[in-house]
Amino acid sequence: MALISFTNRGIYCKQGDFYIDPWLPVDYAVTTHGHADHVRWGNKYYLCHHFTKAIIKCRISADLIVESLGYGETVVRNGVEISFHPAGHVIGSAQVRLAYKGEICVISGDYKVEYDGVSTAFEPIKCHTFVSESTFGLPTYNWLAQDIIFDDIKKWAVQNKEDHKTTVLIAYSLGKAQRLLQNLAGDLPIYVHNSIGRLNEAIEHARVPLAAYQTITPELTKDELQGGILIVPPVMRDSKWIKSLQSAAVGVCSGWMQVRSHRRWQSADAGFALSDHADWNGLITAIKATEAEQIYVTHGFTSVFARYLSEQGIAAQAVTTQFGQEDDDVAAEKEVII
């Protein structure tokens, strides 16, 4: 009997009577990571990685009832062994491994295979069934090594300073913001939006060290900000505050910038194809490493990617979920800096 099914509430394990990343309220939610499309308010109990516990309590509510595990640790629910293994997507992100009577199923959530310097590196898990994303499941999406991308960002920021422009980087508050912080530290001071600052504090409280930064406050002058790098969430992209800065130069950090004409970012001053998701080759590499007999593709270019896998002799099926909107519905990112 299959360990998981796809229901109108989310991915369900009948044997254990729990859901993985449900999008409607349930009694017991096993959570892969802290992005808004994978963890919602309203569940009675949450199970996640230690770092994700700190993140979701910060982003959703401090009153959540949350049990947490470290990577490789196991809890048993109704005979089903549940363990978390690194997904490499963002801090605390985990693949969920389910084991029951010799059957192993892994639900990956979101993942990337390149180590980013801040998230625990992706770990392939052998299984019978593997649930994979396909956010960038097209051959056109193949990332440059992140060292090259960060070098480009640094050079752009230095040039902006010489041209008396203010460098503003648009990046998700969870994941890319911390990744930028770690990899850009050292040359110019880094300032972050208050939603990122609060999240960073929660992450640091969970004993994850981050590079030096300063949260943006009204007391900081525009001259001070002009001398550094500003990291703000997507909701700030067209804000009056950015337009009030000294000659703001806006750079978007997103995998979608691989296709420069992407409609959401056409007016950006610069685009950097930096993603917290696996690219085409990364997806294929990760899936093959699992040696799974059945692949379910949950979000992104599901039909195209599942068809490609099938043509390669890998049993694959596209399924419909509500994942894929990680930048939406995060109240903390809707605050505007004055």
Side-chain angles (χ1 to χ4, degrees):
M1 183 178 180
L3 264 178
I4 59 169
S5 59
F6 297 90
T7 75
N8 61 358
R9 289 188 175 274
I11 302 172
Y12 180 58
C13 175
K14 181 177 180 180
Q15 294 88 337
D17 191 23
F18 57 82
Y19 290 80
I20 300 94
D21 292 350
W23 45 82
L24 292 176
V26 299
D27 286 344
Y28 198 93
V30 178
T31 299
T32 61
H33 65 285
H35 276 146
D37 59 325
H38 286 260
V39 59
R40 314 278 179 105
W41 180 87
N43 302 307
K44 288 186 179 180
Y45 298 95
Y46 297 78
L47 176 68
C48 61
H49 186 269
H50 295 318
F51 298 157
T52 297
K53 177 179 180 178
I55 289 167
I56 65 176
K57 278 182 168 282
C58 173
R59 298 191 107 191
I60 300 177
S61 171
D63 296 329
L64 296 182
I65 301 175
V66 184
E67 178 185 359
S68 63
L69 300 172
Y71 291 124
E73 296 179 352
T74 299
V75 66
V76 179
R77 181 171 169 82
N78 298 335
V80 179
E81 295 181 2
I82 307 169
S83 58
F84 293 126
H85 303 267
H89 176 54
V90 299
I91 291 171
S93 62
Q95 303 172 83
V96 178
R97 180 184 184 273
L98 309 179
Y100 182 75
K101 295 183 178 180
E103 184 74 17
I104 298 173
C105 175
V106 173
I107 300 93
S108 64
D110 292 330
Y111 64 93
K112 68 174 178 291
V113 297
E114 181 183 27
Y115 176 57
D116 63 13
V118 61
S119 308
T120 306
F122 177 84
E123 175 186 317
I125 307 297
K126 296 190 186 312
C127 56
H128 300 98
T129 302
F130 185 66
V131 180
S132 175
E133 61 149 308
S134 64
T135 303
F136 292 102
L138 290 179
T140 189
Y141 293 109
N142 281 296
W143 315 137
L144 293 173
Q146 70 170 14
D147 290 348
I148 296 174
I149 298 172
F150 286 123
D151 188 55
D152 287 344
I153 296 174
K154 289 176 182 178
K155 289 177 180 177
W156 180 69
V158 169
Q159 187 62 54
N160 287 337
K161 185 177 181 181
E162 292 177 358
D163 294 340
H164 304 288
K165 296 180 180 180
T166 304
T167 295
V168 181
L169 294 174
I170 306 295
Y172 292 152
S173 293
L174 173 60
K176 243 166 284 175
Q178 292 76 35
R179 191 175 172 189
L180 289 167
L181 185 61
Q182 294 298 88
N183 288 279
L184 298 180
D187 296 327
L188 298 174
I190 298 178
Y191 303 96
V192 302
H193 182 267
N194 54 4
S195 68
I196 298 172
R198 284 200 312 277
L199 187 55
N200 284 352
E201 289 175 4
I203 290 170
E204 290 173 312
H205 186 70
R207 300 183 180 179
V208 179
L210 297 175
Y213 65 92
Q214 186 170 350
T215 299
I216 300 170
T217 65
E219 288 71 37
L220 284 168
T221 68
K222 292 177 182 178
D223 284 339
E224 289 176 298
L225 296 176
Q226 190 276 321
I229 296 174
L230 282 57
I231 304 175
V232 304
V235 73
M236 294 293 293
R237 167 69 198 287
D238 296 314
S239 68
K240 293 181 180 179
W241 180 79
I242 288 182
K243 294 174 182 177
S244 75
L245 296 171
Q246 294 181 6
S247 303
V250 178
V252 175
C253 300
S254 170
W256 300 115
M257 297 310 297
Q258 184 88 7
V259 179
R260 298 284 176 169
S261 62
H262 192 272
R263 62 182 179 83
R264 296 181 65 188
W265 314 118
Q266 284 180 357
S267 60
D269 298 295
F272 304 98
L274 184 70
S275 177
D276 285 329
H277 296 265
D279 63 4
W280 172 261
N281 289 324
L283 290 167
I284 294 169
T285 298
I287 287 170
K288 287 183 176 179
T290 69
E291 299 181 6
E293 300 163 0
Q294 176 66 53
I295 307 297
Y296 291 106
V297 184
T298 57
H299 56 291
F301 295 98
T302 54
S303 298
V304 173
F305 191 60
R307 183 168 62 250
Y308 172 82
L309 293 175
S310 297
E311 290 170 352
Q312 303 307 305
I314 300 172
Q317 179 180 339
V319 294
T320 301
T321 67
Q322 293 189 18
F323 305 139
Q325 299 297 323
E326 61 195 29
D327 58 330
D328 293 342
D329 303 321
V330 183
E333 293 189 351
K334 295 180 180 176
E335 298 184 4
V336 176
I337 302 169
I338 299 174

